[in-house]
Amino acid sequence: MSVFTPVPESALADWLKDYAIGRLVELKGISAGVQNSNFFVTTTLGRYVLTLFEGIPRAELPYYLHLMAHLARHGLPVPGPIANRHNEYLGTLQDRPAALVVRLSGSSEMSPRLPHCEKVGAMLAGLHLAGQSYGRRQENPRGAAWRAATAQVVRPFLPADEQALLDAELAFQATIDVDALPAGAIHADLFRDNVLWDTDADGDVRIGGVIDFYFAGYDALLFDVAVTVNDWCSTPGCGLDDARAAALLDAYHAERPFTDAERAAWPAMLRAAALRFWLSRAADFHLPRAGEMVLVKDPNEYRDILRLRIAGVPPLPR
């Protein structure tokens, strides 16, 4: 979430007249993330997040917004989208598709402990189970076809050893039968900064919100688990913390048991997830977009994660 397109307060105040959420009190840009323009919006009736979509085709946006509404109806801590007075989730602001969602409570935890990993694992399983009844289908926008195309774009910027790593991994991933794995709606970007936490009076943590569904799509559920483990359970040296990984995977498995096919594909999915974020970060780094507040993340982190996942990973629980 970055700010590529600034929004004057006067323009937003006028736009909000089409909503029943009160008058504008405060507008503040959000600098974290890399894809869209995002703002905290406070009105006389509540707190919201405004997103201006910078690169996603307008026709694809209803998938994400209705998925969030679907998951929220199933009791998951997901920011429900706000309909305007025409009962539409999607509007237009500053010549960009735009949407408002409820701003959830809590803050990100960038140094997760075992209780955080357990709750994230259980929540992700719940998200996958609830997503099975979601009627819309849209392929993962960062799936295999995107990875192959983006690899050709970033490859000329890489040194020879990284080009060899990229070529070998693409060839390996082409041998994996992803269609044999359970599939459905996935978040696909469940990093630590996309989960908000609250702490109760006894010091116990709970998930206050799961945000940023704008990479969601239909894909192998195991790919989503791999994306999550690679971020939540990585060590500073890009290896896997066995205790955190076990906590997350055991909690997930208790809600949605892994299949034998998923156990066989687990090392490949961890590698595919690492490849996806190495490629996206490399593209953002070497071909940056202009913006007012733009965060570009280091692609070398996920290059190193990929190398270490190739070297070996612990198995899924039985």
Side-chain angles (χ1 to χ4, degrees):
M1 296 185 288
S2 295
V3 174
F4 299 95
T5 301
V7 175
E9 289 190 3
S10 58
L12 178 58
D14 187 61
W15 189 72
L16 289 176
K17 292 177 182 177
D18 206 28
Y19 291 80
I21 59 172
R23 298 182 305 278
L24 179 64
V25 173
E26 183 181 34
L27 171 67
K28 182 179 180 181
I30 304 173
S31 61
V34 295
Q35 187 183 27
N36 300 307
S37 296
N38 290 270
F39 306 84
F40 290 132
V41 173
T42 303
T43 74
T44 51
L45 295 181
R47 302 193 311 161
Y48 308 92
V49 174
L50 167 70
T51 298
L52 273 61
F53 300 98
E54 300 290 349
I56 305 174
R58 191 181 188 97
E60 296 179 8
L61 293 172
Y63 175 87
Y64 307 116
L65 296 171
H66 285 274
L67 174 61
M68 293 159 68
H70 173 87
L71 296 174
R73 286 197 303 271
H74 282 72
L76 288 157
V78 172
I82 305 299
N84 61 23
R85 297 187 187 189
H86 308 287
N87 208 31
E88 298 290 340
Y89 292 141
L90 191 61
T92 301
L93 180 61
Q94 299 298 94
D95 297 321
R96 299 287 192 275
L100 279 169
V101 301
V102 173
R103 181 178 175 183
L104 300 178
S105 64
S107 58
S108 300
E109 175 55 68
M110 303 309 291
S111 299
R113 304 183 305 277
L114 295 184
H116 296 100
C117 293
E118 290 173 357
K119 287 181 169 59
V120 164
M123 183 281 304
L124 183 59
L127 187 155
H128 289 166
L129 291 170
Q132 294 295 299
S133 60
Y134 183 52
R136 298 174 184 240
R137 176 165 170 173
Q138 189 163 284
E139 298 302 315
N140 178 2
R142 296 294 184 268
W146 177 90
R147 295 193 290 270
T150 305
Q152 298 308 309
V153 174
V154 303
R155 192 179 187 279
F157 296 97
L158 304 179
D161 63 323
E162 293 184 12
Q163 289 184 356
L165 173 65
L166 179 58
D167 295 344
E169 189 58 29
L170 289 170
F172 169 76
Q173 291 295 332
T175 69
I176 305 302
D177 183 12
V178 178
D179 292 338
L181 303 175
I186 67 170
H187 184 284
D189 192 29
L190 196 64
F191 276 48
R192 287 164 286 171
D193 56 358
N194 283 332
V195 178
L196 308 178
W197 297 91
D198 285 326
T199 304
D200 63 22
D202 297 324
D204 293 329
V205 295
R206 68 175 183 86
I207 296 177
V210 179
I211 61 174
D212 198 1
F213 278 79
Y214 302 118
F215 286 113
Y218 185 91
D219 205 340
L221 304 180
L222 192 64
F223 180 81
D224 213 12
V225 179
V227 168
T228 307
V229 167
N230 272 343
D231 181 67
W232 286 82
C233 306
S234 283
T235 66
C238 297
L240 276 178
D241 182 300
D242 289 345
R244 277 186 283 149
L248 193 155
L249 293 170
D250 286 346
Y252 182 98
H253 180 68
E255 304 297 329
R256 189 193 76 83
F258 294 112
T259 67
D260 289 340
E262 287 178 313
R263 291 189 187 92
W266 178 234
M269 285 298 100
L270 283 170
R271 291 167 61 170
L275 175 65
R276 175 262 188 263
F277 285 96
W278 179 30
L279 287 170
S280 62
R281 291 185 178 189
D284 291 337
F285 181 83
H286 294 293
L287 300 164
R289 290 183 292 166
E292 185 181 56
M293 298 163 55
V294 180
L295 175 65
V296 177
K297 298 181 179 180
D298 180 11
N300 293 337
E301 177 186 9
Y302 270 83
R303 175 204 63 196
D304 294 342
I305 287 176
L306 174 58
R307 285 173 169 161
L308 287 171
R309 301 302 178 267
I310 292 171
V313 298
L316 287 179
R318 291 188 176 274

